[in-house]
Amino acid sequence: MVNIWRGFIILPLLFIYGNSQGLLFPNPFHHIGKPIVDFKDSQFSEGIFGSAPLVVGDDGSAANGDDDVSASEASVDASLVSAQTTFKGSWELFVENAGVSAMHLVLLPKIDQALMFDATVWKISKLKLPGPPCRKIEGTNKEDCWCHSILMDVETGNIRPLRIEQDTWCSSGALDMNGRLISTGGYNNGSDTVRILDIAPNSEWIEYPGALGNGRWYATQVTLGDGRFMVFGGRRFPTYEFVPPQGQKNTRNEVYKFKFLVETHDTVENNLYPFVYLSTDGNLFIFANNRSILLNPNNHQVIHEFPVLPNGARNYPASASSCLLPIILNPNENRRVIPAEVLVCGGTSHDAYEKAELQRPKVFLPGNTDCARMDITKRNGKWKIINMPSARLLGDAVVLPTGDVLLINGAKTGSAGFDNAREPNLNPVLYKFKSDGTGSKFTVLNPSNIPRMYHSSFAVLPDSKIMIAGSNTNPGYIYNTLFPTEVRVEKFSPHYLDPNLAQFRQEIVVEQSDSQVKYGQKFTVQIREGGAVEQTKLQVTIYSPPFTTHGVSMNQRLVQLGIQEFQNGRIVVQAPMNGNIAPPGYYMLFVNYNGVPCRRSMWIQILP
């Protein structure tokens, strides 16, 4: 109580000081002060401020109340002090013509190249291949000499075309321990293909048709704690399988039937591109339609089913967005189970696709306005439901370097599919993350002027900006239409890139920092101090770049590391204890100070 009153006494003095300096002042109390947009007194306040979050019980019913708080959550939030800002973010057009519309996007480690690709089925793009050989169009003797895959330098915008043969339409993917993209599935000749793109200079696609036991079109790929991959679902195949080692092929005996995907199949699916997350206990959380389970990937047993999430469907083509919320580690972490929470936002009604795709004239049903979060490490976990400022489907949930979540892209009505959505949701919305859910709230940021609808994508960049690309609601490259095929690439600067907060942006001295670590190892990150830096305001996070497509961010993961010590700019942190917390591979390491990310992240590799 004494600390609260002290805040009311000090706050006016800080306000006077901040204005006298012409700067927005650092906020010494977590989340005190006026946000960019405050919904406390608006129509959106219900479930956010005025009362406790809506909690869905084991029987699917809803009741008001608080779920149990995970161990040490209260101390976690108090450890990070955030600077206050009224900056609503800014947009810049980065590349006018990327050559391809980025249906799929992933940032490749170390080389800082964004890999973007669409689908060979279109047989055209906005960029020609530099020369022969061209691709033979399936079943014909005709050639397709258009580019369908590129690498883009995220600093300069320079583009390198890549040749690809097997169709990647609606495929899946993940980065392996060495930073290579392992891509699975797609359409037609690509549906059972495994592809590999290395990060070595001048690398090209290596493709292995027939490597998968089933076709994987609209499937989800997940990385396990030992670095292996599994791929779930796909149109007409309610099954899953492990991705075989390079050059090998799965047999039918290596494909597992998955009753859960059969049970969650609506007339119009609504269970494609399931949300799949590796939990910190080694089990897989799988969400399809409106249901979710835990699957043991070792014995293939469903060990738990969570409460149904009400209010419509969430997976393709209802197409909500989802993410695993930050995993918080403490110094000398020794808890048996580390809490892990999932966030699911938006979606639409079960019949939205039928109304938009089959009914004439088309009917575009409203998208959902709710977000739900749940601790997936608890067997009595319940959905906590809060309301977003606006409806959203076809969007993306971006986990920012600070641990907050940016909801971006998408539409307010309709469903996935060609020309099936309307009312672009142009405003990003910031979800301010608090580990216990209390005080978490939404803030509306500045809009883009480019609709990013079906087939849009994103990537978090080393400078903490967000790359936004793609959007194609058409069966091909079509421009004389309501939502033309989009080849422009933007960058969005979130709230923490307010120029007035530049004083808090630290600089990592890469050559004096450890770039390879093993599980449980203590390692050093050196920052170049630009003034007095307080350890209580420091936060070190590691972020796994996701493979993004169709509103699904496969293997997006952010872990806050426990700081062991800090002196003279030398930060000693401890690596995660095992691969279930952070699978082996490359991560972007950010040092946040006062809630503001460093000037540029560094790449670290976690080795088994």
Side-chain angles (χ1 to χ4, degrees), residues 190-304:
S191 67
D192 59 2
T193 297
V194 173
R195 309 167 195 83
I196 299 176
L197 183 66
D198 204 340
I199 58 175
N202 303 316
S203 292
E204 296 284 346
W205 284 105
I206 302 173
E207 301 178 79
Y208 298 94
L212 298 176
N214 278 167
R216 301 295 173 190
W217 192 26
Y218 299 92
T220 300
Q221 186 172 328
V222 66
T223 308
L224 300 180
D226 59 6
R228 291 179 300 161
F229 302 117
M230 296 176 72
V231 58
F232 285 84
R235 183 161 283 167
R236 295 186 293 276
F237 289 105
T239 61
Y240 66 86
E241 60 189 292
F242 291 86
V243 177
Q246 183 172 351
Q248 298 184 23
K249 294 185 177 182
N250 282 345
T251 65
R252 290 185 178 181
N253 293 331
E254 292 167 299
V255 174
Y256 298 86
K257 295 180 180 179
F258 198 23
K259 183 180 177 183
F260 176 68
L261 288 181
V262 176
E263 295 172 345
T264 54
H265 187 282
D266 284 344
T267 304
V268 292
E269 297 166 327
N270 283 327
N271 68 343
L272 297 183
Y273 275 132
F275 306 136
V276 185
Y277 300 107
L278 174 68
S279 181
T280 53
D281 59 10
N283 295 308
L284 292 176
F285 173 85
I286 304 172
F287 187 107
N289 199 321
N290 59 1
R291 292 172 53 190
S292 53
I293 61 169
L294 280 179
L295 176 73
N296 185 318
N298 298 313
N299 62 21
H300 309 283
Q301 297 298 309
V302 174
I303 61 176
H304 183 69

Side-chain angles (χ1 to χ4, degrees), residues 373-387:
R373 59 185 283 185
M374 180 175 63
D375 189 333
I376 62 175
T377 62
K378 293 180 178 178
R379 296 300 179 265
N380 63 345
K382 301 178 180 66
W383 291 106
K384 301 175 184 177
I385 300 177
I386 52 179
N387 288 320

Side-chain angles (χ1 to χ4, degrees), residues 15 18-19 22-27 32-38 82-90 427-428 430 432 441 443-447 492-502 504 594-596:
F15 182 82
N19 284 312
L23 297 173
L24 294 169
F25 57 86
N27 183 358
I32 291 179
K34 186 178 181 181
I36 299 170
V37 177
D38 193 342
S82 297
Q84 183 180 353
T85 177
T86 56
F87 182 61
K88 298 182 181 181
S90 63
N427 287 88
L430 177 69
K432 198 70 176 175
K441 58 185 176 181
T443 301
V444 178
L445 304 181
N446 280 333
F492 178 66
S493 297
H495 61 294
Y496 49 59
L497 293 180
D498 181 349
N500 288 322
L501 301 181
F504 300 123
N594 238 0
V596 180

Side-chain angles (χ1 to χ4, degrees), residues 103-106 115 117-118 167-175 181-187 190-191 193-196 205 212 214-222 229-234 243 273-274 546-550 552-555:
M103 181 188 301
H104 311 83
L105 173 59
V106 62
L115 173 64
F117 52 95
D118 59 0
D167 199 353
T168 52
W169 185 15
C170 305
S171 56
S172 43
L175 299 173
L181 177 68
I182 310 301
S183 167
T184 52
Y187 182 63
S191 67
T193 297
V194 173
R195 309 167 195 83
I196 299 176
W205 284 105
L212 298 176
N214 278 167
R216 301 295 173 190
W217 192 26
Y218 299 92
T220 300
Q221 186 172 328
V222 66
F229 302 117
M230 296 176 72
V231 58
F232 285 84
V243 177
Y273 275 132
F547 178 89
T548 66
T549 185
H550 291 76
V552 181
S553 306
M554 301 179 197
N555 302 291

Side-chain angles (χ1 to χ4, degrees), residues 266 268-271 275 287-290 309-321 344-357 363-371 388 390-395 411-417 420-422:
D266 284 344
V268 292
E269 297 166 327
N270 283 327
N271 68 343
F275 306 136
F287 187 107
N289 199 321
N290 59 1
L309 180 57
N311 195 27
R314 311 290 173 158
N315 295 92
Y316 184 92
S319 296
S321 57
V344 178
C345 293
T348 186
S349 61
H350 292 273
D351 59 346
Y353 178 83
E354 293 176 278
K355 300 288 187 184
E357 175 74 13
V363 174
F364 304 100
L365 297 180
N368 291 350
T369 60
D370 60 347
C371 268
M388 298 184 287
S390 59
R392 194 181 299 265
L393 63 145
L394 309 177
K412 297 179 182 179
T413 62
S415 82
N420 281 350
R422 294 292 186 272

